[in-house]
Amino acid sequence: MLRNMYQGERRERCFYSEILYVEASGCYCYIYRRDKPRLSIAHPLLMLEPFLPEEMFKRVHRSYIVNLCEVDGFIGKALCIGKNVLPISPPYRTEVFGYFDFWDIVRKKKGQEGKDM
């Protein structure tokens, strides 16, 4: 559970498992949650990052940290969480893609099934 989440003057409990991703916005950051409104935090992403468990959350861009369990798929060099498409910056790509297994299934034309052996 992530503690001390402030929404204005309100303190709100937020479980790690309900966090989809965190987005930086200047000196603030927004926590996007499943089936709940986003939280605004009056701290930059760098201050929030150490409080997120490393095995569950990874930075994918200077403006985004994602919950790896919530990644639905990839489009080119971006990842999808629900309807949201988030960029993956070059410095983070190898590490981020390394957390996922990609099946390299190639369709073969009829008559070419046994030609690779």
Side-chain angles (χ1 to χ4, degrees):
M1 175 175 44
L2 186 58
R3 300 168 196 259
N4 298 328
M5 287 292 153
Y6 294 96
Q7 179 74 22
E9 293 295 316
R10 179 183 168 157
R11 196 181 242 187
E12 192 166 327
R13 181 175 66 179
C14 180
F15 292 98
Y16 295 129
S17 59
E18 69 186 18
I19 297 173
L20 301 172
Y21 64 95
V22 184
E23 178 184 20
S25 181
C27 294
Y28 290 85
C29 60
Y30 299 109
I31 297 176
Y32 291 86
R33 304 177 293 167
R34 187 182 322 102
D35 303 325
K36 290 188 176 182
R38 76 177 185 191
L39 290 175
S40 297
I41 308 296
H43 295 289
L45 198 56
L46 274 174
M47 290 186 71
L48 181 63
E49 188 173 11
F51 293 98
L52 299 170
E54 285 182 37
E55 66 279 355
M56 191 173 189
F57 293 91
K58 293 295 171 198
R59 185 180 282 266
V60 298
H61 186 273
R62 65 174 231 190
S63 299
Y64 295 101
I65 295 174
V66 301
N67 182 340
L68 293 171
C69 298
E70 297 295 332
V71 175
D72 294 318
F74 297 89
I75 299 175
K77 296 174 183 166
L79 60 81
C80 303
I81 296 179
K83 294 180 180 177
N84 302 296
V85 178
L86 307 176
I88 304 173
S89 294
Y92 303 104
R93 283 189 193 134
T94 303
E95 183 181 3
V96 171
F97 288 145
Y99 286 101
F100 299 92
D101 289 326
F102 294 97
W103 293 359
D104 192 17
I105 300 173
V106 179
R107 278 194 165 170
K108 296 187 179 201
K109 293 182 181 178
K110 268 189 170 179
Q112 293 184 346
E113 290 87 5
K115 291 188 179 180
D116 287 344
M117 295 181 193

